[in-house]
Amino acid sequence: MSILVNKDTRLLVQGFTGSQATLHSEQSIEYGTNIVGGVTPGKGGQTHLGAPVFNSVHDAMESVQPNASIIFVPAPFCKDSILEAADAGIKLIICITEGVPTLDMLIVKKRIDELGIQLIGPNCPGVITPGEAKLGIMPGSIHLPGSVGIISRSGTLTYEAVKQTTDLGLGQSTCVGIGGDPIPGTSFIDVLKLFEADDQTTAIVMVGEIGGTAEEEAAEYIRDHVTKPVISYIAGQTAPAGKRMGHAGAIIAGGKGTAADKIKKLQECGVHIAENLLQIGSKVKEVLG
Amino acid sequence: MNLHEYQGKELFAKFGLPVSTNRVITSADDAVNACRDIGGKKWVIKAQVHAGGRGKAGGVKLITTPDEAVEFSNHWLGRRLVTYQTDAQGQLVNSILIEECTDIDQELYLSAVIDRGSQRIVFIGSSEGGVNIEEVAENTPEKIIYEPIDPLTGPMPFQARKISKILGLNLEQSKQFSKMLPQLTDLFITHDLNLLEINPLVITQGGKLHCLDAKIAIDSNAVYRQPEIQVMHDPSQEDPQESEAAMHDLSYVSLDGNIGCMVNGAGLAMGTMDTIKYFGGAPANFLDVGGTATQDRVSKAFKIILADPEVKVVLVNIFGGIVRCDLIAEGILAAIKEVGVSIPVVVRLEGNNADLGSKILAESNAEIVSLNNLEDAAKKAVELSK
């Protein structure tokens, strides 16, 4: 087992014919992901990377029945694309695009919650179940099928955690990048819940960063509901207050959201802390014994 | 993106909120006319910078003659104002706001933010204004109200009444506030704000609510659809390297250390800074060169990092991912040549074709230390920075 995606995932790519979507779709297909089609309004009827192009998600739904969608459209159009996929009945939507206005996400999040849809992102690397399916922009080659579930707010930092668990032979059940925005579609808690229920996952790595209180909320959830060991690394221990560190969500505001606060709370709730990013893999190994 | 107080007040006025009659000047020559235009015998004169704490730093003054306005303007224009919220250099004053003086009966606090927890716009109100709100939250939490706005309904009159009660408003003021709350929400949504703060919101001696300050920040992700806000951008209030980086679509934050950092990805960039600190060094900056790390972007990143005279060594940490490391290595070499980098560069390449990338770097004549694990690379950079 794994979570969210597997070899039965039928993927639709929104913004399919754009350059980024093309590059990453090629890589996903090479990894073995089943891309059943794509959407680019106005280009319906064409074939791209061997898959049919549709004018709308609804047209694609009728013809090829996707059960997941990945979005590469530019930020100004993401609100529309996410809501279109939701309206067409897709239950898992992954939005890779960075720079979606926060007020757009405020509306989108309310709507997808009402409809019971799992939105991953925006501003995220996507989801991969090693050896089965890659729905995202992560390099497939560093992954290894295995037992560690990884959740992260950051892209390249996730790769670092993946590489370390691969090098130690542990491998990953599924890796989920929830994205670095202030209002993510999916929270740490949503993914923790899925990993806790997944047989294949024996340990969970949670890579957090400064800003907001998502890690603190996750810590309480772990204390009360997660029986599997959780290992966490928090980036931004040296970040100054009041400055946005790349990600829109990574900012220490009013003295809140510091790495030190998060680490303290996680430790109090029984989470194992990797003090440095170099120690993520070895910490997992140590905890698993 | 932050606005000046006078720009915030322009927006307040546009949305019908009560602000003082005012004039903005950029030359002391206009000070006398500004005071005459406003009228009256007392004015408040305020240096315009993107930072709080101006009053205590001498950047705000009550004056009773236009000559004092000239004196204040001559003193501050072109000078840097240092407050507890700025760095040691302070912020450049290039405009000054002169306002009609308001007779204050009480100072209150009101703000609106996007709250990540409730995923709503939340209004925060308190009867304790003009002070640091974080302290009020810490010491007397019962004096603060957090009122979330449902995107479906917008702000309701009952919510205005709830906030009014905590603010301690009388019936008339509460009625006035019931008009202000939708105006503030409208402003927040129309212009894609992520912060709106009025500290203090005052009750005048005439018993009316009045916005004495205006602090507004706009969601950077939404500036593209705010043409009216774009023209308000004041690059003089930002770190010059940070503005330069922003123009090239690179995220850069300047720090106090001497190890320049160039990393792909924001999280890994923070992780790299932490690793440098862990091994006893000090990062000079945060810099996310982006997922692709092409020669062009790497060149620009080098230029920005090297503009900081403190930098003694540059640590490049790239997790190749989709992009092949041999291509990145060639980009780094070309960039070093183009920019004329004369200090040591430590490069750590990981991911796709990392070995080939390291080989290309090792075989070049450039002063590069190529290491393929982050621990060794960070230690080496720290050693070279001492």
Side-chain angles (χ1 to χ4, degrees), chain B residues 87-333:
Chain B
D87 59 16
Q89 273 103 53
Q91 300 282 95
L92 180 67
V93 180
N94 54 24
S95 56
I96 282 175
L97 177 69
I98 305 176
E99 288 191 329
E100 166 184 46
C101 181
T102 305
D103 293 315
I104 301 166
D105 185 31
Q106 269 184 66
E107 298 191 16
L108 315 170
Y109 175 91
L110 186 72
S111 68
V113 295
I114 293 175
D115 177 55
R116 299 177 183 203
S118 60
Q119 303 182 325
R120 299 278 183 272
I121 295 169
V122 171
F123 276 87
I124 304 170
S126 172
S127 53
E128 306 293 300
V131 294
N132 187 339
I133 193 68
E134 281 85 15
E135 279 170 29
V136 180
E138 189 74 30
N139 302 327
T140 48
E142 70 283 0
K143 290 183 174 168
I144 294 190
I145 182 168
Y146 301 86
E147 190 65 22
I149 304 300
D150 188 317
L152 187 67
T153 63
M156 299 306 291
F158 80 86
Q159 296 185 293
R161 293 194 294 272
K162 272 171 83 179
I163 300 171
S164 294
K165 189 176 168 194
I166 295 291
L167 295 180
L169 304 183
N170 66 27
L171 188 61
E172 278 307 306
Q173 290 152 1
S174 179
K175 277 184 186 161
Q176 192 193 350
F177 186 69
S178 299
K179 280 193 193 133
M180 286 172 65
L181 189 64
Q183 291 167 333
L184 289 163
T185 310
D186 194 14
L187 164 60
F188 199 101
I189 293 169
T190 305
H191 288 299
D192 277 301
L193 309 195
N194 57 23
L195 170 73
L196 181 165
E197 187 180 59
I198 312 169
N199 189 19
L201 169 71
V202 301
I203 300 174
T204 63
Q205 286 182 0
K208 297 265 193 246
L209 287 169
H210 195 77
C211 305
L212 217 54
D213 197 4
K215 183 174 175 185
I216 285 182
I218 286 102
D219 175 11
S220 317
N221 287 351
V223 170
Y224 77 88
R225 63 183 180 193
Q226 295 294 341
E228 203 181 324
I229 301 292
Q230 285 161 17
V231 298
M232 294 182 176
H233 180 224
D234 181 358
S236 77
Q237 299 299 307
E238 292 161 7
D239 179 287
Q241 285 153 271
E242 288 177 20
S243 321
E244 175 73 17
M247 274 171 56
H248 297 298
D249 214 18
L250 300 166
S251 294
Y252 171 91
V253 176
S254 142
L255 304 166
D256 294 332
N258 61 7
I259 302 176
C261 300
M262 188 190 310
V263 187
N264 68 331
L268 189 58
M270 279 190 275
T272 305
M273 285 159 45
D274 294 348
T275 306
I276 289 172
K277 186 79 179 283
Y278 187 77
F279 290 121
N285 64 276
F286 163 95
L287 192 149
D288 174 7
V289 71
T292 48
T294 58
Q295 179 190 334
D296 183 46
R297 294 177 69 87
V298 173
S299 291
K300 279 172 182 137
F302 266 121
K303 282 180 192 159
I304 290 158
I305 291 172
L306 296 174
D308 177 352
E310 299 297 318
V311 173
K312 288 194 180 149
V313 50
V314 180
L315 173 60
V316 180
N317 182 18
I318 305 284
F319 205 115
I322 298 293
V323 188
R324 281 159 39 204
C325 287
D326 50 325
L327 294 180
I328 294 173
E330 279 164 10
I332 291 171
L333 284 179

